Amino acid sequence: MRVKGTFIHTLKTGEIALILLAENKSEQKKLYHYLAIDAYRFKKEIAEEAPHIELISVGYKNEQGKIIWDEEYIPVPKWYDHN
């Protein structure tokens, strides 16, 4: 799984999400599953280094260049959960 890019998306609720871009739809599903189930260290680093990021998700660019992402967001633990 490779991350091809990222962007920040602000939800209507005001929460800030980091969207990771995978190579394609198949890789998007794999990466989303990995982030939802595992990736504790990655989420911990996000919580410590970018505490304004509250959620993460994964997307990809389709053939037309449009970015599509999963709107089922994964919560990032707060930095104080680690202290």
Side-chain angles (χ1 to χ4, degrees):
M1 292 177 284
R2 288 182 46 195
V3 174
K4 302 282 287 186
T6 63
F7 72 95
I8 302 293
H9 175 68
T10 303
L11 280 65
K12 292 178 183 177
T13 60
E15 294 173 297
I16 299 174
L18 172 65
I19 311 299
L20 307 174
L21 297 177
E23 294 185 78
N24 54 46
K25 187 173 184 170
S26 174
E27 290 296 309
Q28 173 201 15
K29 290 180 181 192
K30 290 178 191 176
L31 184 54
Y32 182 88
H33 179 74
Y34 173 73
L35 290 171
I37 304 300
D38 297 320
Y40 177 78
R41 182 173 163 192
F42 174 76
K43 291 185 273 192
K44 182 178 184 244
E45 288 179 20
I46 294 293
E48 292 171 353
E49 299 297 324
H52 64 285
I53 302 292
E54 300 167 273
L55 305 163
I56 54 176
S57 192
V58 181
Y60 68 99
K61 279 188 180 179
N62 66 12
E63 287 90 30
Q64 294 77 32
K66 182 178 178 184
I67 297 175
I68 299 167
W69 70 90
D70 194 325
E71 293 188 12
E72 299 232 359
Y73 298 98
I74 301 163
V76 174
K78 300 296 179 209
W79 67 270
Y80 50 79
D81 292 341
H82 305 291
N83 293 328

